[in-house]
Amino acid sequence: MSGGPVLLAGFAVTNQAVAAQLLERGGAVVAADDAPAPDAVARAVALGIDLVAAPGADRWRALVADAEVLVPTPGLPEAHPVMRAAADAGTPVISEFDLAQRWDSRPRLAVTGTNGKTTVVEMVAAMMEASGIAAAVAGNTDVPLVEAVRDPTPATFVVEASSFRLGHSRCFRPEVGAWLNFAPDHLDVHASLERYRQAKASLWHRVDDDSISVVNGGDPVVAAAAPACGRVVTFGLRHGDFRVSGGALWAESEKLIDTAELRRSQPHELANALAATAVAMAGGAHVEGVRDALVAWTGLPHRVALVGERDGVRFYDDSKATTPHAVCAAVRSVGPAVLIAGGRNKGIDLGPMVEVVDAVRSVVAIGEAAPEVRRVFAGRCPVAEASSMADAVRMAADAARPGDAVLLSPGCASFDWYGSYAERGDHFTQQVHELIGGSP
């Protein structure tokens, strides 16, 4: 960049890290936010920059006109006035990934997909570390990539690449790029399903002969976007370079591990393990390190995590499931279930949840999307609406029979009742323990 001002649209964790890095490098920064939080105001004061609060459309246009580039906060809707202003003015829009790539040359192993990103990223990092390669997780996590590159310790970065960041990236090119799967999501941010697909596919837009692309060969959308250059590696439960065969995970011609040795071995978990193995080995991990990490892997919180059991009924926290695709995978993994679903819809059709109705004994609908959940399952299985998580847990427990699972797998975001999916999952866990006894 030539030194002109960089406009930060939104001033939360990521853009606060961007501002600090730009200022350290002598750049000029202007920040604006529709509704800045108190900590954002304090951070702006500490950095010595002005933070424009709640600008109207005319003010956004003026800010864009004065800026060299625009860096939107991840998750800023494509229909936001600042995006329209940038398009009208021809002002380039870039992401934190672009800046991190300009500032640091260490390898990046990037993972995108509608579901499973966080799990696969954490598994890859564990495999790299078990292989003696210092790795840091960054991106769509608590640590933005622009912040992570300040640490000289990691030899490589394992990047959770959301559509929010990829869709605005102009030069980001990871050495290894994996696309796990595709299903409707984030239509409250992207203008259409096609725009969401394009954002995901941009992971591979800048591959070259040295790039390695990890492709879910069983997902037609992902497979159709596979690059024509560089090395392409496929994974799948039955077919692919990395696959399950004869009760074992295989890396091309080498048997890695029997599935019986894994602590998490449901189909979607095996797919995650295959994808992580493909990414890690492309990034330099060795077979022994991959095996060690697979054996030790116990999963992440709020992903089909067993909370407790009473009278033959198991209670699972799958609060991270915020799409119908993820809900279906969870239901298939636990068997007959009383499903707790709902929350704040992200603009997507909840109808695909009906695909697993044969494994759903009944549904407890929660949150803003409760009426939508009811419509999906009406006439197919019993549906009740709960006004709180405590009510939902009690109602689900009353409906469950021995051998069933009570499954919190919402298919929606948490921001109607909670500040995050983790807060929602923690409250569910608390309510379950109060119901069945014991402690979290």
Side-chain angles (χ1 to χ4, degrees), residues 288-327:
E288 292 78 10
V290 168
R291 286 175 178 150
D292 289 346
L294 287 171
V295 169
W297 182 255
T298 58
L300 297 177
H302 313 299
R303 281 95 168 160
V304 198
L306 181 62
V307 173
E309 183 173 350
R310 186 185 71 170
D311 298 333
V313 175
R314 293 157 291 125
F315 294 79
Y316 289 94
D317 167 17
D318 191 41
S319 183
K320 184 66 167 63
T322 59
T323 66
H325 182 267
V327 174

Side-chain angles (χ1 to χ4, degrees), residues 241-284:
D241 300 309
F242 292 76
R243 64 199 178 280
V244 178
S245 179
L249 270 59
W250 289 77
E252 298 179 313
S253 62
E254 183 163 9
K255 179 180 175 180
L256 285 173
I257 190 172
D258 290 327
T259 58
E261 297 180 62
L262 303 175
R263 305 187 196 190
R264 305 293 293 255
S265 58
Q266 296 297 332
H268 69 284
E269 294 165 336
L270 294 177
N272 288 339
L274 291 167
T277 299
V279 172
M281 293 184 72

Side-chain angles (χ1 to χ4, degrees), residues 59-355:
R59 184 71 171 119
W60 278 119
R61 282 193 290 270
L63 291 169
V64 167
D66 291 337
E68 180 185 2
V69 296
L70 167 67
V71 181
T73 189
L76 191 74
E78 292 178 359
H80 191 279
V82 74
M83 303 303 293
R84 293 196 294 269
D88 292 342
T91 300
V93 179
I94 66 173
S95 75
E96 64 131 341
F97 285 177
D98 295 323
L99 295 171
Q101 174 139 337
R102 293 174 182 177
W103 296 336
D104 193 280
S105 61
R106 283 170 287 181
R108 295 160 299 274
L109 318 179
V111 178
T112 196
T114 303
N115 298 304
K117 292 187 299 296
T118 305
T119 295
V120 170
V121 162
E122 294 289 346
M123 292 181 80
V124 171
M127 292 170 178
M128 301 298 285
E129 293 285 348
S131 299
I133 302 171
V137 169
N140 190 44
T141 68
D142 292 337
V143 182
L145 187 56
V146 290
E147 179 68 24
V149 299
R150 301 180 71 176
D151 185 352
T153 306
T156 192
F157 297 99
V158 187
V159 182
E160 183 173 330
S162 67
S163 61
F164 306 149
R165 287 165 164 86
L166 289 174
H168 299 309
S169 295
R170 298 168 65 91
C171 67
F172 179 63
R173 187 189 64 78
E175 281 68 19
V176 180
W179 188 356
L180 305 179
N181 46 55
F182 181 80
D185 197 8
H186 298 307
L187 298 186
D188 54 344
V189 172
H190 298 285
S192 66
L193 184 62
E194 174 58 17
R195 289 281 293 177
Y196 174 55
R197 187 201 67 80
Q198 290 172 358
K200 291 292 190 186
S202 67
L203 173 73
W204 291 331
H205 282 180
R206 289 163 288 277
V207 300
D208 59 21
D209 290 342
D210 296 324
S211 301
I212 302 175
S213 302
V214 177
V215 178
N216 181 350
D219 187 307
V221 173
V222 175
C229 65
R231 181 185 170 202
V232 173
V233 175
T234 60
F235 72 92
L237 290 180
R238 289 175 293 278
H239 305 287
D241 300 309
F242 292 76
R243 64 199 178 280
V244 178
S245 179
L249 270 59
W250 289 77
E252 298 179 313
S253 62
E254 183 163 9
K255 179 180 175 180
L256 285 173
I257 190 172
D258 290 327
T259 58
E261 297 180 62
L262 303 175
R263 305 187 196 190
R264 305 293 293 255
S265 58
Q266 296 297 332
H268 69 284
E269 294 165 336
L270 294 177
N272 288 339
L274 291 167
T277 299
V279 172
M281 293 184 72
H286 54 63
V287 170
E288 292 78 10
V290 168
R291 286 175 178 150
D292 289 346
L294 287 171
V295 169
W297 182 255
T298 58
L300 297 177
H302 313 299
R303 281 95 168 160
V304 198
L306 181 62
V307 173
E309 183 173 350
R310 186 185 71 170
D311 298 333
V313 175
R314 293 157 291 125
F315 294 79
Y316 289 94
D317 167 17
D318 191 41
S319 183
K320 184 66 167 63
T322 59
T323 66
H325 182 267
V327 174
C328 290
V331 170
R332 292 187 186 106
S333 72
V334 301
V338 177
L339 175 65
I340 302 174
R344 175 166 291 171
N345 194 346
K346 296 182 285 183
I348 59 181
D349 178 15
L350 301 183
M353 289 194 294
V354 80
E355 294 174 9

